Amino acid sequence: MISETIQRTAAPLRQEVVATLRRAIVTSEYSPGERLVETALCDKFSVSRTVVREALRQLESERLVVTVPNKGPEVATLTPTEARSLYEVRGALESLAGSLFAERATEAQRGQLVARLFDIRRAQSAGGVQQLLAAKDSYYEVLLAGAGNKEISGMLRQINARTQVLRTLSTSSPGRSPHMLSELTDITTSAAITRDPEAARRACEVHASNAAEAALIAMESTPRSGHP
């Protein structure tokens, strides 16, 4: 009975640490290759080493953290090959989501997608990269909700967490923003207005392919963080 009570109490705490640490990695508070020292994390979150270790194991299963022999856990670093593979999967999933949205989305969801596109335009005019990424995230939340497939949502969430740093680099790369807006406009038109599944699929493919190219170029031109 006592152990069950402890587990029920510890589980929400562990989940909170996982969520907070995941967010810190995604927002680059911890850089790729940076060591995650257990004692420092214990002090930071005011939790036991057991909770920290369980949180790190969870993030390792999500491939946001890796354990390096003789060094310990550190933030995972994507190789160009891994990044390209992730963007290929993202393109396939987003293309399916766009096609399903055109087929399944309600009238309200169609209107919401158009509204989120205008939010992206406003964020682009404001010039903040993080604000623009947040607006894009909201756009995709609507797109995925309208697609009506939770499996796609779950897989894309994990992919986007692993490529968040690259998304920031690609979105802020010179000349990318206008093309991105044009691509999202094509997606919105075909998915929410003309409701053409095939056109929506193609528009999503183009957007994902161009985003991948921009991310990989930015990746190659940016020095790697962490240990040599």
Side-chain angles (χ1 to χ4, degrees):
M1 181 66 70
I2 293 176
S3 62
E4 291 178 359
T5 302
I6 292 173
Q7 285 181 339
R8 284 197 296 269
T9 303
L13 180 60
R14 181 176 63 252
Q15 292 164 8
E16 183 179 343
V17 173
V18 168
T20 303
L21 190 52
R22 183 192 293 116
R23 185 165 55 251
I25 292 171
V26 166
T27 58
S28 299
E29 181 180 339
Y30 293 110
S31 303
E34 183 173 348
R35 287 188 63 199
L36 298 170
V37 182
E38 290 183 1
T39 53
L41 294 174
C42 290
D43 292 340
K44 182 180 179 69
F45 298 123
S46 299
V47 295
S48 69
R49 181 166 289 190
T50 298
V51 171
V52 166
R53 285 178 176 172
E54 289 174 347
L56 289 172
R57 279 198 294 268
Q58 172 63 38
L59 294 174
E60 188 169 11
S61 73
E62 297 176 15
R63 302 179 71 179
L64 292 174
V65 170
V66 294
T67 299
V68 181
N70 302 319
K71 288 185 178 180
E74 64 180 40
V75 179
T77 300
L78 280 178
T79 66
T81 299
E82 290 170 336
R84 186 178 297 278
S85 296
L86 286 170
Y87 273 99
E88 287 173 350
V89 176
R90 173 187 158 184
L93 292 172
E94 287 184 358
S95 298
L96 178 57
S99 178
L100 292 176
F101 185 98
E103 294 176 356
R104 300 175 177 177
T106 65
E107 194 72 29
Q109 288 168 330
R110 291 166 62 194
Q112 288 168 6
L113 195 69
V114 173
R116 295 296 83 77
L117 178 64
F118 280 103
D119 290 343
I120 291 173
R121 288 178 177 172
R122 283 191 288 269
Q124 181 193 42
S125 299
V129 174
Q130 294 306 319
Q131 182 179 353
L132 183 55
L133 284 173
K136 279 195 69 180
D137 287 342
S138 295
Y139 177 91
Y140 275 100
E141 285 177 6
V142 175
L143 185 74
L144 293 171
N149 188 313
K150 291 183 179 180
E151 296 301 322
I152 296 176
S153 300
M155 286 185 278
L156 278 175
R157 192 176 300 112
Q158 184 170 345
I159 289 172
N160 287 336
R162 293 183 64 198
T163 60
Q164 184 69 16
V165 173
L166 296 183
R167 292 178 69 211
T168 301
L169 288 173
S170 65
T171 300
S172 58
S173 63
R176 173 58 188 151
S177 191
H179 292 293
M180 179 198 69
L181 184 58
S182 176
E183 292 157 13
L184 292 175
T185 300
D186 289 343
I187 293 172
T188 306
T189 300
S190 55
I193 299 175
T194 62
R195 307 203 74 168
D196 184 333
E198 181 58 25
R201 183 190 64 77
R202 289 196 303 269
C204 288
E205 279 183 350
V206 169
H207 175 60
S209 176
N210 290 342
E213 182 180 358
L216 290 166
I217 290 172
M219 186 181 192
E220 291 172 357
S221 62
T222 302
R224 289 192 181 185
S225 302
H227 303 287

